[in-house]
Amino acid sequence: MELLIMINACKTASARRVTAVIPCFPYARQDKKDKSRAPISAKLIANMITVAGADHVITIDLHASQIQGFFNVPVDNLYCEPAMLSYIKIHIPDWKNSIIVSPDAGGAKRATSIADRLNLDFALIHKERKKANEVSRMVLVGDVNGKIAILVDDMADTCGTLKMAAETLIDNGAIKVYAIVAHGILSGGAIDVINDSYLEKLVVTNTVPHDDKKHICSKLDTIDISSTLAEGKMFT
């Protein structure tokens, strides 16, 4: 609401152009109907931002790329991938003995892209959900025995999936497990779940503020993506 009010205030003050920079797009996971009469909230948010008067939207790692089509104004969807690659090379010892793992089939494209650029192997975890935010069981596809497993995902909410994925990887012979995530929502008891997991580190970008959580979770690390946003705005 604050964003919509500020956009509208700028427009009524005769601003020539208004660009909304939204690092973590709200309601991005509700991009389609998963059951009858369910709302497509991402479309509603897009309509509200457009009607408020935004001429251009810049965001980072949309949960689903088709959200760009919900807008009638230009949308720049920037990616965290270069920053993730840099972190892996600098901060993960012996990263050449790693394997990139996607915790679900939906993130396979992102994980294979990173694996290809690092010239590493790729594995996939198939998960079955009982209901939203609750995973019933996981099946690993790929060989992680004797390797450092790096989980790559776009969002960490309750972190239950990452905890179960780390357990599955350790059970299948992985030496260590790291998780690198674009958006660290970290809602509810996520910090307790991380502290109680086999994860060496959970690395998130600062699209969502989490400095207060770092004091109570030594496993939490941050990738700063402010330079990515600044560069994106410079060329628009």
Side-chain angles (χ1 to χ4, degrees), residues 100-184:
I100 305 298
V101 185
S102 173
D104 56 29
K109 186 177 178 182
R110 176 185 293 101
T112 51
S113 175
I114 290 176
D116 289 344
R117 293 185 66 174
L118 291 172
N119 197 26
L120 297 174
D121 291 333
F122 162 75
L124 172 71
I125 292 176
H126 171 65
K127 63 184 179 184
E128 295 177 355
R129 290 186 184 273
K130 289 180 186 173
K131 56 184 178 180
N133 289 354
E134 189 177 327
V135 179
S136 57
R137 73 185 190 98
M138 290 188 157
V139 180
L140 177 67
V141 181
D143 182 19
V144 299
N145 190 36
K147 294 183 178 179
I148 298 168
I150 303 173
L151 286 159
V152 177
D153 207 355
D154 72 320
M155 198 174 289
D157 187 0
T158 57
C159 295
T161 298
L162 291 178
K163 181 183 178 181
M164 285 187 70
E167 289 173 1
T168 302
L169 292 166
I170 292 293
D171 290 344
N172 282 271
I175 304 169
K176 293 179 181 178
V177 181
Y178 292 83
I180 302 182
V181 179
H183 305 293

Side-chain angles (χ1 to χ4, degrees), residues 39-51:
I40 306 177
S41 304
K43 172 63 174 170
L44 175 63
I45 297 294
N47 287 343
M48 291 166 68
I49 291 168
T50 306
V51 170

Side-chain angles (χ1 to χ4, degrees), residues 153-214:
D153 207 355
D154 72 320
M155 198 174 289
D157 187 0
T158 57
C159 295
T161 298
L162 291 178
K163 181 183 178 181
M164 285 187 70
E167 289 173 1
T168 302
L169 292 166
I170 292 293
D171 290 344
N172 282 271
I175 304 169
K176 293 179 181 178
V177 181
Y178 292 83
I180 302 182
V181 179
H183 305 293
I185 310 297
L186 306 179
S187 65
I191 296 301
D192 293 331
V193 173
I194 296 163
N195 285 330
D196 192 41
S197 71
Y198 286 112
L199 291 171
E200 287 285 319
K201 287 279 184 186
L202 171 60
V203 186
V204 297
T205 68
N206 54 353
T207 55
V208 179
H210 56 265
D211 288 340
D212 56 324
K213 295 182 174 71
K214 291 183 79 172

Side-chain angles (χ1 to χ4, degrees), residues 29-40 132:
R29 285 192 289 188
Q30 287 184 271
D31 60 304
K32 59 183 179 294
K33 284 193 174 190
D34 57 346
K35 56 187 175 184
S36 178
R37 298 194 180 96
I40 306 177

Side-chain angles (χ1 to χ4, degrees), residues 25 28 31 42-43 46 50 56-79:
F25 192 82
D31 60 304
K43 172 63 174 170
T50 306
H56 180 205
V57 175
I58 297 177
T59 187
I60 290 184
D61 263 322
L62 283 171
H63 183 69
S65 295
Q66 68 262 25
I67 292 173
Q68 294 172 84
F70 294 169
F71 287 88
N72 294 322
V73 296
V75 177
D76 284 329
N77 182 28
L78 308 180
Y79 295 99

